[in-house]
Amino acid sequence: MVHDCSIYINGMKVIVNMRQMDLSAIDLNLLKLFEALVRERSVTQAGLRLGLSQPAASRALGRLRTMLGDRLVVRGKLGLELTPRGEALAGPVSKLLDDARGIVSPAVFDPASAAGRITIAAHDHLSLVVLAGLSARLERHAPALSLHIAQPAGDNVRLIEQGGADLALGIFKALPGSFHRRDLYADSFVCVARSDHPGVADGLSLERYVSLRHIAVTISGVGESAVDLALSTLGLTRRVALRVPHFLAGAMLVADSDMIFTLPSRLARLLAKRLPLALLDLPLQLAPLSPAMIWHERFQRDPAHVWVRQQIVDVVASFDTPG
């Protein structure tokens, strides 16, 4: 099949025949020669640009002319001149080669010039712990990137799988085979009470702990908390007077009441810097907490995603050793 292509040369409209071609017959190396000829207007100089001898460049030009069905360049007073078809192909061939180079070359991420949004799925515990440090790093190194904390959806695994977030922070068990995981740090639990709480001046015994009114955070609404499970093995229960969906809400309510609140130690120390809270050793053995970062395989080698993950790793690495 033959198509006509209209171009303008020195103000004159020229109709050029464009033959439909089988893509398997296209040799990109020959198109590179054509690009060099457009720039150099010399077979010898085009060959030197590509590392070819003059005879090799001449033979390649012959194959190029056969492939494209046109002479493409002819001798003129000031060197080689493009034929009308050569003029028509110069721009498209240059773009095609640029696109091909972009496909095969490693992607490069420059945080200083990067723009867009990073979406992280995390409950408020890890948002509060990581967000300040991550935001500061983005402001310093990637000021045009914005940070969005997605609305939590259970353990957030499905959210990541469906593309609703770039990565997730949390406590995860088994993951699909298409996921990657990076453990961030180990944490323990502590109890907090308002700083002038009358019943905790001498610390917390187990008996005193279960006798006080508790605030508990309900994240998934499924199953018992680690605290309640540990107490049940001792034949004990606690009185949960208030359940809230967010750690920050729980801490603020504790600061204005006689209730107590059990939460991860890193978060407790962070909140105690801003609220009148006393940190108390927990009179109960709980398994350590191991927050992790997860992401989908499709982002494993993406340079921007790799950079963001490293920023999170650097943020948690800067934390003080847990007490």
PDB file of all heavy atoms in Angstrom, residues 28 56 63 69 91 96 119 123 149 175 178 266 287:
ATOM      1  N   LEU A  28      17.689  -0.504  12.720  1.00  0.00           N
ATOM      2  CA  LEU A  28      17.888   0.754  13.427  1.00  0.00           C
ATOM      3  C   LEU A  28      19.290   1.308  13.238  1.00  0.00           C
ATOM      4  O   LEU A  28      19.492   2.521  13.281  1.00  0.00           O
ATOM      5  CB  LEU A  28      17.594   0.561  14.922  1.00  0.00           C
ATOM      6  CG  LEU A  28      16.120   0.416  15.314  1.00  0.00           C
ATOM      7  CD1 LEU A  28      15.993   0.262  16.810  1.00  0.00           C
ATOM      8  CD2 LEU A  28      15.295   1.601  14.837  1.00  0.00           C
ATOM      9  N   ALA A  56      32.762   1.192   4.589  1.00  0.00           N
ATOM     10  CA  ALA A  56      31.662   0.577   5.340  1.00  0.00           C
ATOM     11  C   ALA A  56      30.463   1.514   5.386  1.00  0.00           C
ATOM     12  O   ALA A  56      29.302   1.073   5.263  1.00  0.00           O
ATOM     13  CB  ALA A  56      32.123   0.237   6.753  1.00  0.00           C
ATOM     14  N   ARG A  63      22.500   0.102   1.620  1.00  0.00           N
ATOM     15  CA  ARG A  63      21.441  -0.707   2.239  1.00  0.00           C
ATOM     16  C   ARG A  63      20.312   0.182   2.757  1.00  0.00           C
ATOM     17  O   ARG A  63      19.137  -0.191   2.685  1.00  0.00           O
ATOM     18  CB  ARG A  63      22.015  -1.547   3.381  1.00  0.00           C
ATOM     19  CG  ARG A  63      23.036  -2.587   2.925  1.00  0.00           C
ATOM     20  CD  ARG A  63      23.317  -3.617   4.010  1.00  0.00           C
ATOM     21  NE  ARG A  63      23.848  -3.032   5.230  1.00  0.00           N
ATOM     22  CZ  ARG A  63      25.144  -2.790   5.429  1.00  0.00           C
ATOM     23  NH1 ARG A  63      26.028  -3.074   4.468  1.00  0.00           N
ATOM     24  NH2 ARG A  63      25.573  -2.260   6.569  1.00  0.00           N
ATOM     25  N   GLY A  69      13.781   2.853   0.017  1.00  0.00           N
ATOM     26  CA  GLY A  69      13.289   3.037  -1.343  1.00  0.00           C
ATOM     27  C   GLY A  69      13.494   4.421  -1.901  1.00  0.00           C
ATOM     28  O   GLY A  69      12.678   4.906  -2.683  1.00  0.00           O
ATOM     29  N   GLY A  91      12.923  14.375  10.628  1.00  0.00           N
ATOM     30  CA  GLY A  91      12.338  14.571  11.951  1.00  0.00           C
ATOM     31  C   GLY A  91      11.821  13.291  12.573  1.00  0.00           C
ATOM     32  O   GLY A  91      12.167  12.957  13.715  1.00  0.00           O
ATOM     33  N   LEU A  96      12.198   8.797  16.473  1.00  0.00           N
ATOM     34  CA  LEU A  96      12.172   7.353  16.656  1.00  0.00           C
ATOM     35  C   LEU A  96      13.418   6.867  17.392  1.00  0.00           C
ATOM     36  O   LEU A  96      13.335   6.067  18.331  1.00  0.00           O
ATOM     37  CB  LEU A  96      12.060   6.654  15.298  1.00  0.00           C
ATOM     38  CG  LEU A  96      12.196   5.125  15.295  1.00  0.00           C
ATOM     39  CD1 LEU A  96      11.056   4.489  16.072  1.00  0.00           C
ATOM     40  CD2 LEU A  96      12.240   4.597  13.872  1.00  0.00           C
ATOM     41  N   THR A 119       2.248   8.343  47.101  1.00  0.00           N
ATOM     42  CA  THR A 119       1.132   7.909  47.939  1.00  0.00           C
ATOM     43  C   THR A 119       1.571   6.741  48.804  1.00  0.00           C
ATOM     44  O   THR A 119       2.023   5.716  48.293  1.00  0.00           O
ATOM     45  CB  THR A 119      -0.076   7.504  47.072  1.00  0.00           C
ATOM     46  OG1 THR A 119      -0.476   8.617  46.276  1.00  0.00           O
ATOM     47  CG2 THR A 119      -1.240   7.074  47.947  1.00  0.00           C
ATOM     48  N   HIS A 123      -1.406   3.447  58.701  1.00  0.00           N
ATOM     49  CA  HIS A 123      -2.237   3.908  59.797  1.00  0.00           C
ATOM     50  C   HIS A 123      -1.485   5.010  60.540  1.00  0.00           C
ATOM     51  O   HIS A 123      -0.290   5.219  60.337  1.00  0.00           O
ATOM     52  CB  HIS A 123      -2.589   2.743  60.711  1.00  0.00           C
ATOM     53  CG  HIS A 123      -3.456   1.717  60.045  1.00  0.00           C
ATOM     54  ND1 HIS A 123      -4.826   1.853  59.961  1.00  0.00           N
ATOM     55  CD2 HIS A 123      -3.154   0.568  59.398  1.00  0.00           C
ATOM     56  CE1 HIS A 123      -5.327   0.817  59.305  1.00  0.00           C
ATOM     57  NE2 HIS A 123      -4.334   0.024  58.949  1.00  0.00           N
ATOM     58  N   ILE A 149      -0.889  10.561  52.268  1.00  0.00           N
ATOM     59  CA  ILE A 149      -1.125   9.366  53.066  1.00  0.00           C
ATOM     60  C   ILE A 149      -2.524   8.866  52.733  1.00  0.00           C
ATOM     61  O   ILE A 149      -3.519   9.552  52.969  1.00  0.00           O
ATOM     62  CB  ILE A 149      -1.003   9.657  54.576  1.00  0.00           C
ATOM     63  CG1 ILE A 149       0.362  10.260  54.885  1.00  0.00           C
ATOM     64  CG2 ILE A 149      -1.222   8.379  55.377  1.00  0.00           C
ATOM     65  CD1 ILE A 149       1.544   9.381  54.504  1.00  0.00           C
ATOM     66  N   LEU A 175       2.531 -12.396  52.556  1.00  0.00           N
ATOM     67  CA  LEU A 175       2.304 -11.486  51.442  1.00  0.00           C
ATOM     68  C   LEU A 175       2.221 -12.259  50.136  1.00  0.00           C
ATOM     69  O   LEU A 175       2.833 -13.329  50.006  1.00  0.00           O
ATOM     70  CB  LEU A 175       3.447 -10.466  51.350  1.00  0.00           C
ATOM     71  CG  LEU A 175       3.561  -9.440  52.476  1.00  0.00           C
ATOM     72  CD1 LEU A 175       4.876  -8.669  52.337  1.00  0.00           C
ATOM     73  CD2 LEU A 175       2.384  -8.481  52.465  1.00  0.00           C
ATOM     74  N   SER A 178       3.982 -11.494  44.501  1.00  0.00           N
ATOM     75  CA  SER A 178       4.343 -10.326  43.689  1.00  0.00           C
ATOM     76  C   SER A 178       4.767  -9.133  44.541  1.00  0.00           C
ATOM     77  O   SER A 178       4.980  -8.053  44.011  1.00  0.00           O
ATOM     78  CB  SER A 178       3.160  -9.929  42.803  1.00  0.00           C
ATOM     79  OG  SER A 178       2.010  -9.664  43.595  1.00  0.00           O
ATOM     80  N   ARG A 266       8.229   3.917  70.377  1.00  0.00           N
ATOM     81  CA  ARG A 266       8.713   5.037  69.560  1.00  0.00           C
ATOM     82  C   ARG A 266       7.640   6.120  69.452  1.00  0.00           C
ATOM     83  O   ARG A 266       7.912   7.316  69.561  1.00  0.00           O
ATOM     84  CB  ARG A 266       9.111   4.558  68.171  1.00  0.00           C
ATOM     85  CG  ARG A 266      10.386   3.742  68.124  1.00  0.00           C
ATOM     86  CD  ARG A 266      10.801   3.529  66.668  1.00  0.00           C
ATOM     87  NE  ARG A 266      11.906   2.596  66.561  1.00  0.00           N
ATOM     88  CZ  ARG A 266      13.184   2.927  66.699  1.00  0.00           C
ATOM     89  NH1 ARG A 266      13.493   4.183  66.952  1.00  0.00           N
ATOM     90  NH2 ARG A 266      14.131   2.012  66.588  1.00  0.00           N
ATOM     91  N   ALA A 287       5.160  -9.553  72.553  1.00  0.00           N
ATOM     92  CA  ALA A 287       6.116  -9.781  71.471  1.00  0.00           C
ATOM     93  C   ALA A 287       6.528  -8.449  70.847  1.00  0.00           C
ATOM     94  O   ALA A 287       5.712  -7.521  70.766  1.00  0.00           O
ATOM     95  CB  ALA A 287       5.504 -10.687  70.410  1.00  0.00           C
TER      96      ALA A 287
END
